């Protein structure tokens, strides 16, 4: 590298280095430039190079290095003040403030030394004719750090009362510190009022609004202003991301992710900054970061993800549980050093309170492309060798209740029965039901198991359920594309159950199950193997006849039987699909509405979602945006926790488009963000998610 030959070249080199990214490389260049300055034999060159070195240290992870160049500058000032020009005199007094705050963040520096330095600062400011505003601000920082609330309040009042002059921190930085004090007192609304001019862009500086945006996240969540918190995270993280010195603000963003149900994004943030786990130049920001990491890891462990691999200190792999323990120990070790220095427990108490926070929002969609929330690995449990009979009986009762009323998780309930019944002698009826539900869970692989279930139902003297089990197997065959084979397989159960029903050898429920399986198979032939399939008129007629046969059977028999009510509702939806195929969209809308209403009345709102979505699409196509909006909102409401991520993303995106078309842009943008979030959850962030993220710009 070419050496520096004159003062102007040195200044150009320092200006260029100031533009480099924060970090050790920039610091090393500043150290090199100081060596070059010393060769010029120009005192002001050395002064400026020391000032440059001090500045880059302050804005880096090596904050602890800034005390040496400052001590040298101060000695040069005391020995030869005439070597300083006006700007360097101002800079020397300005960085006094950096020294006081920097010392607070270094637990090895005794509190007595910090107090002595505060007195030195006050003395020198008075000699230079400066206001005491910056001094009282520094005193406030010391008092609030150690937890001396009475002194902090006095210093805070004196700080605000003193005149602003050229030594006062910029408006943005002052307001940030004042707002943080309000947050410590849990006066969140007051803090946000103080920060408003910074957030609005009235006051800015090198680190603002970066830190105010980060500091505002948790207060906004506490106040229920989740939309603003999301906006501040998305805006603020972009500002903080490239700045190595902003580990404390970065920790605020990690904390926000842990408190808003965005654990996966929190892990992404940790993965971007592995050095933050070990950088030792600023212990205070290190403590802040480790406390936020502990909070996030504890949250993951609580969600059953303790064994999930997570980003951590380099050199080994970490699970969430291991990193939680490591970060907690490291954080409390740092806090103990501060508290020993301060002779209080204030720092440790605050760290503990930060780690012990509870989520403030169950899930706040961010609208950014990110990984889905990690999923806990399945926990395999070994059933005891002997299952008490009453426990197995209770499991059977619960499984039958769930399946008889078509509740979610019925298949899982039967799986629990199956696991608990190993080694236990059961009746043929019990074994038939277990096999039947195992077959339902296995999809195409369960066809043979349906046949086994049918044999067991026959053994249990229930021929109607035997025909129903065989019919279910035939429909599963149709789902694999073997329509003709499925129709052949359904023929015998169809004839058999109708003959049995006419002889009163079985009930409406079993007969309806077979007839519905046959109707479903015929509907599969109507749909064909592609969306553009054009069914034959004979296929449409056969499917419609089969559906109406189901409806004729269950009509008047539903009563309190949820299964029969569901058969009727599904039949109406099938007729709606056939109306769509026939081009009668108005009839299709009416029938889809009838089907979804029937499901809701039967206490099965989650089954209505598919048909409400179809209804919304048709209504929108016909120009009835009011009905489209109603149906989409109903679908989101009725889906509740059972609606899977891809469907939820589609519904939010459809609703965003409808609302946008009605001029309700802000609400449309919110639903587009929700759609983007659920697209990421579904693993479709690059496709559907990208389209969803494109929408808010147009809406707003």
């Amino acid at each position: 590298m070419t050496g520096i030959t004159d003062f102007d070249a040195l200044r150009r080199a320092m200006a260029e280095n100031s533009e480099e990214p924060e970090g050790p490389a920039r610091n090393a260049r500043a150290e090199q430039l100081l060596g070059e300055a010393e060769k010029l034999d120009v005192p002001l060159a050395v002064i400026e190079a020391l000032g440059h070195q001090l500045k880059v240290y302050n804005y880096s992870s090596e904050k602890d290095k800034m005390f040496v160049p400052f001590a040298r500058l101060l000695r040069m000032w005391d020995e030869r003040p005439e070597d300083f020009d006006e700007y360097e005199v101002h800079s020397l007094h300005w960085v006094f403030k950096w020294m006081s705050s920097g010392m607070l963040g270094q637990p090895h520096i005794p509190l007595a030394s910090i107090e002595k330095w505060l007195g030195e600062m006050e003395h020198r400011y008075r000699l230079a004719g400066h206001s005491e505003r910056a001094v009282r601000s520094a005193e406030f920082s010391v008092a609030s750090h150690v937890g001396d609330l009475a002194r902090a309040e006095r210093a805070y009042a004196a700080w605000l009362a003193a005149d602003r002059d050229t030594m006062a921190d910029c408006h943005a930085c002052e307001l940030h510190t004042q707002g943080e004090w309000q947050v410590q007192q849990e006066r969140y609304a007051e803090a946000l009022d103080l920060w408003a001019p910074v957030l609005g862009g009235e006051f800015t500086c090198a680190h603002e609004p970066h830190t105010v945006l980060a500091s505002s996240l948790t207060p906004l969540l506490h106040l229920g202003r989740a939309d603003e918190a999301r906006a501040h995270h998305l805006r603020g993280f972009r500002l903080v991301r490239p700045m190595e010195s902003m580990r404390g603000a970065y920790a605020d963003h990690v904390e926000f992710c842990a408190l808003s149900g965005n654990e996966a994004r929190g892990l992404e943030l940790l993965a971007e900054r592995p050095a933050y786990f070990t950088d030792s130049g600023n212990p205070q920001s290190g403590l802040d970061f480790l406390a936020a990491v502990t909070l996030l890891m504890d949250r993951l462990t609580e969600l059953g993800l303790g064994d999930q691999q997570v980003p951590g200190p380099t050199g080994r792999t970490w699970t969430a549980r291991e990193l939680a323990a490591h970060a907690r120990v490291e954080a409390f070790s740092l806090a103990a050093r501060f508290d020993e220095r301060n002779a209080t427990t204030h720092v440790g108490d605050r760290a503990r309170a930060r780690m012990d926070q509870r989520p403030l929002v169950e899930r706040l969609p961010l609208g950014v492309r990110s990984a889905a929330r990690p999923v806990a690995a399945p926990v395999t449990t070994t059933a005891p060798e002997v299952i008490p009979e009453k426990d197995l009986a209770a499991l059977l009762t619960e499984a039958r209740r769930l399946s008889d009323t078509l509740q979610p998780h019925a298949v899982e309930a039967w799986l629990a029965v199956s696991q608990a019944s190993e080694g236990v002698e059961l009746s043929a009826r019990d074994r038939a039901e277990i096999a039947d539900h195992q077959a339902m869970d296995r999809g195409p692989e369960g066809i043979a198991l349906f046949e086994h279930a049918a044999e067991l139902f026959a053994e249990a003297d229930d021929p109607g359920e035997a025909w129903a089990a065989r019919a279910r197997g035939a429909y599963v065959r149709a789902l694999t594309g073997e329509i003709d084979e499925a129709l052949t397989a359904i023929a015998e159960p169809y004839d058999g159950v109708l003959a049995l029903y006419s002889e009163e050898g079985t009930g409406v429920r079993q007969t309806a199950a077979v007839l519905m399986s046959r109707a479903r198979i015929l509907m599969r032939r109507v749909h064909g193997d592609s969306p553009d399939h054009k069914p034959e008129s004979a296929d449409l007629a056969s499917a419609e006849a089969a559906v109406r046969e189901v409806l004729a059977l269950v009509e008047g028999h539903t009563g309190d039987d949820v299964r029969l009510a569901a058969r009727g509702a599904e039949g109406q939806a099938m007729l709606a699909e056939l109306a769509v195929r026939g081009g009668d969209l108005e009839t299709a809308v009416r029938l889809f509405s009838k089907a979804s209403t029937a499901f809701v009345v039967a206490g099965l709102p989650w089954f209505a979602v598919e048909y409400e979505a179809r209804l919304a699409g048709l209504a929108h196509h016909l120009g009835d945006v009011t009905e489209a909006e109603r149906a989409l909102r109903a679908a989101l409401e009725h889906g509740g926790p059972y609606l899977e991520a891809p469907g939820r993303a589609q519904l939010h995106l459809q609703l965003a488009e409808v609302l946008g078309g009605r001029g309700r842009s802000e609400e449309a943008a919110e639903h587009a963000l929700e759609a983007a979030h659920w697209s990421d959850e579904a693993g479709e962030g690059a496709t559907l998610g990208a389209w969803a993220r494109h929408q808010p710009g147009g809406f707003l």
Side-chain angles (χ1 to χ4, degrees), residues 424-440:
V424 178
E425 187 173 349
L426 297 173
S427 69
R429 176 75 190 194
D430 293 341
R431 286 182 286 131
E433 289 184 85
I434 292 171
D436 198 29
H437 285 89
Q438 285 178 336
M440 295 178 198

Side-chain angles (χ1 to χ4, degrees), residues 466-476 489-490 493 513-515 517-518 521:
W467 288 127
R470 286 195 170 93
R472 285 189 279 273
Y475 173 58
V476 171
I490 197 68
V514 176
L515 267 56
S517 291
R518 181 171 177 269
I521 294 170

Side-chain angles (χ1 to χ4, degrees), residues 43-44 59 64 163 198 204 295 365 384 391 460 473 512 532 550 582 584 597 603 613 631:
L44 185 58
Y59 294 117
D64 55 336
D163 293 334
V198 183
T204 61
L295 174 67
D391 290 349
D532 299 326
V550 173
D584 188 354
T597 299

Side-chain angles (χ1 to χ4, degrees), residues 393-443:
L395 288 173
L396 273 166
T397 298
E398 177 63 7
R400 284 171 178 148
R401 182 189 69 80
L402 291 174
S403 57
D404 283 347
T405 55
L406 298 177
Q407 297 297 305
H409 310 308
V411 172
E412 291 87 342
W414 281 105
L415 178 60
V417 169
S418 176
Q419 292 173 340
S421 64
E422 291 180 9
V424 178
E425 187 173 349
L426 297 173
S427 69
R429 176 75 190 194
D430 293 341
R431 286 182 286 131
E433 289 184 85
I434 292 171
D436 198 29
H437 285 89
Q438 285 178 336
M440 295 178 198
D441 190 38
R442 294 183 184 180

Side-chain angles (χ1 to χ4, degrees), residues 639-681:
Y642 310 114
L643 189 58
E644 294 185 354
R648 194 178 293 275
Q650 290 280 4
L651 289 172
H652 277 296
L653 188 54
Q654 284 181 265
L655 185 53
E657 291 172 351
V658 169
L659 292 170
R662 305 190 75 181
R664 286 147 64 182
S665 301
E666 291 189 12
E667 189 179 1
E670 289 298 317
H671 283 284
L673 287 177
E674 290 275 359
H677 164 73
W678 290 109
S679 299
D680 292 340
E681 289 286 306

